[in-house]
């Protein structure tokens, strides 16, 4: 039972890395779009593409937290005790990011739009960095039961590189998805614009991964061994193949398939990390079995997970499907004005 819950947790983390990561990547390119006039069209595309799904993507993060504190309360306590500062900064970033995105569009004054846009874009950069830094601290064995909070837990070489890799990976995902959105809306010049940025982001991922190789070897040896043999190595190779396939599909302007390939590459990397840590949740001090909650709690957690899959799963699949097909279009100002306001006909 504990192993099953651990795999559910890993799948939820992979889902958030892909779904939420795409949104963070869009925010990164919003930050890099330039001044108000130069970045007007890319930012308009980002707003239009994110609007239908950005709130839904955070459901995966909530699910991760629920499974973690219910199924593995010891791990939850250890991680949040040792890493409270980066996690708090990530949480602040999530709040400011959502507020900035929601308030930027209805703002009429340019100064207000700039402030809210800066909140959204900078938070989209900092939040994945801090979340990645937390994962790096865990992978390098700096978190154990009883570990007190310290800068070394998350400001070490492995954590910093993992945070930068998280930013680069989200930028890659965001650019790939925006290529497809631009093509769907007929903005073929923006498709070329984001295609170039997807290629640059992938190059950044490769460079950072190469830099991380010797660091991981020395600083996170247990995870390194897991990534260089067995199932972990296989998933890393498959992730690389999917990444290269994404580039080839982008060059051929096959934007629909490039989305699937990019998501697969990121999900496989998360899976490789999970295989590399087996059987530990906190390498090399706390195994999955040792960290698991009470048996009856785990049984109820499995039941709740099944219910959630049955009730929420189809709705999420339908939402993502309709979004990729371009069926979830926002109402224009003209349409909302034409609809009138409640009480107009009284």
């Amino acid at each position: 039972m504990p192993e099953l819950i651990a795999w559910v947790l890993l799948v939820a983390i992979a889902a958030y890395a892909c779904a939420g990561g795409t949104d963070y990547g869009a925010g990164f390119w919003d930050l890099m779009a330039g001044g108000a006039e130069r970045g007007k069209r890319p930012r308009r595309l980002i707003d239009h593409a994110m609007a239908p799904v950005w709130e839904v993507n955070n459901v995966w993060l909530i699910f991760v937290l629920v499974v973690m504190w219910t199924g593995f309360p010891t791990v939850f306590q250890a991680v949040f005790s040792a890493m409270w500062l980066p996690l708090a900064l990530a949480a602040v970033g999530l709040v400011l990011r959502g507020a900035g995105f929601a308030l930027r569009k209805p703002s009429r004054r340019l100064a207000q739009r700039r402030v809210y846009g800066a909140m959204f874009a900078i938070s989209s950069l900092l939040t994945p960095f801090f979340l990645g830094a937390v994962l790096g601290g865990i992978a390098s064995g700096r978190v154990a039961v009883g570990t007190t909070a310290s800068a070394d837990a998350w400001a070490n070489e492995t954590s910093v590189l993992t945070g930068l890799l998280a930013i680069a990976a989200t930028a890659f995902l965001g650019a790939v998805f925006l290529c497809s959105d631009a093509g769907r809306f007929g903005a073929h010049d923006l498709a070329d614009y984001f295609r170039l940025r997807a290629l640059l982001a992938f190059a950044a991922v490769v460079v950072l991964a190469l830099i991380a190789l010797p660091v991981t070897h020395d600083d996170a040896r247990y995870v390194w061994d897991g990534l260089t043999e067995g199932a972990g190595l296989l998933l890393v190779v498959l992730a690389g193949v999917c990444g290269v396939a994404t580039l080839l599909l982008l060059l051929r302007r096959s934007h629909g398939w490039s989305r699937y390939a990019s998501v697969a590459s990121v999900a496989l990397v998360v899976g490789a990390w999970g295989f590399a840590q087996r059987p530990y949740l906190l390498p090399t001090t706390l195994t999955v079995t040792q960290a698991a909650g009470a048996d009856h709690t785990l049984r109820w957690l499995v039941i709740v997970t099944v219910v959630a899959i049955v009730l929420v799963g189809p709705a999420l699949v339908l939402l993502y499907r309709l979004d990729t097909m371009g069926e979830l279009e926002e109402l224009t100002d003209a349409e909302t004005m034409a609809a009138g306001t409640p009480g107009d006909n009284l």
Side-chain angles (χ1 to χ4, degrees), residues 182-246:
R184 191 175 76 230
F185 298 137
H188 300 295
D189 60 324
L190 286 181
D192 294 335
Y193 172 93
F194 284 111
R195 183 182 301 109
L196 174 61
R197 280 148 182 78
L199 299 177
L200 293 174
F202 184 78
V205 171
V206 172
V207 170
L208 288 170
L210 292 175
I211 295 173
L213 289 178
V215 174
T216 306
H217 179 273
D218 297 334
D219 196 43
R221 188 55 185 265
Y222 188 85
V223 172
W224 164 269
D225 291 339
L227 291 174
T228 53
E229 61 185 26
L233 177 59
L234 175 61
L235 292 181
V236 169
V237 172
L238 290 175
V241 171
C242 289
V244 173
T246 303

Side-chain angles (χ1 to χ4, degrees), residues 30 62 99 119 206 218 272 276 281 337 339:
D30 189 289
I62 296 171
M119 286 171 51
V206 172
D218 297 334
L281 284 178
M337 292 291 289

Side-chain angles (χ1 to χ4, degrees), residues 11-319:
V11 170
I13 292 173
Y16 184 64
C18 296
T22 302
D23 284 350
Y24 290 130
F28 176 86
W29 296 121
D30 189 289
L31 181 64
M32 298 291 123
E37 191 59 34
R38 178 186 171 190
K40 183 177 181 180
R41 292 186 65 236
R43 290 191 178 101
R44 182 178 296 173
L45 175 66
I46 290 169
D47 285 347
H48 202 67
M50 284 184 57
V53 295
W54 71 277
E55 291 178 290
V56 176
N57 289 334
N58 287 318
V59 169
W60 297 110
L61 178 60
I62 296 171
F63 189 66
V64 168
L65 294 175
V66 170
V67 173
M68 189 175 175
W69 82 54
T70 306
F72 305 103
T74 306
V75 175
F76 185 86
Q77 180 184 18
V79 171
F80 275 75
S81 296
M83 301 282 196
W84 70 267
L85 181 57
L87 288 170
L89 292 173
V92 171
L94 280 170
V95 173
L96 294 179
R97 182 177 179 275
F101 182 75
L103 297 174
R104 176 173 65 176
K105 188 173 181 179
S107 298
R108 299 300 181 185
R109 295 181 180 179
L110 179 60
Q112 289 180 332
R113 289 201 299 271
R114 283 177 172 171
V115 170
Y116 293 133
M119 286 171 51
F120 164 67
I122 294 175
S123 298
S124 296
L125 181 71
L126 296 179
T127 300
F129 173 81
F130 287 121
L131 292 176
V134 169
L135 293 180
I138 294 172
S140 60
R142 287 179 167 84
V143 180
V145 177
T147 300
T148 57
S150 67
D152 179 65
W154 60 275
N156 54 81
E157 290 181 339
T158 301
S159 292
V160 171
L161 280 172
T162 306
L164 293 176
L165 274 168
I167 292 173
T170 58
F172 173 61
L173 279 174
V176 171
F177 273 64
L178 288 168
C179 280
S180 179
D181 290 322
R184 191 175 76 230
F185 298 137
H188 300 295
D189 60 324
L190 286 181
D192 294 335
Y193 172 93
F194 284 111
R195 183 182 301 109
L196 174 61
R197 280 148 182 78
L199 299 177
L200 293 174
F202 184 78
V205 171
V206 172
V207 170
L208 288 170
L210 292 175
I211 295 173
L213 289 178
V215 174
T216 306
H217 179 273
D218 297 334
D219 196 43
R221 188 55 185 265
Y222 188 85
V223 172
W224 164 269
D225 291 339
L227 291 174
T228 53
E229 61 185 26
L233 177 59
L234 175 61
L235 292 181
V236 169
V237 172
L238 290 175
V241 171
C242 289
V244 173
T246 303
L247 300 187
L248 295 176
L249 290 167
L250 286 174
L251 293 174
R252 297 185 61 181
R253 291 175 169 76
S254 182
H255 297 139
W257 285 105
S258 67
R259 281 186 166 191
Y260 296 115
S262 64
V263 166
S265 65
V266 173
L268 287 167
V269 169
V270 176
W273 164 63
F275 272 98
Q277 285 200 179
R278 288 187 308 169
Y280 294 101
L281 284 178
L282 298 178
T284 53
T285 60
L286 192 66
T287 66
V288 171
T289 302
Q290 292 170 340
D295 290 340
H296 68 276
T297 301
L298 296 182
R299 285 194 294 269
W300 276 107
L301 185 56
V302 170
I303 293 172
V304 170
T305 300
V306 171
V307 172
I309 292 173
V310 172
L311 295 181
V312 182
L316 288 176
V317 172
L318 178 61
L319 175 66

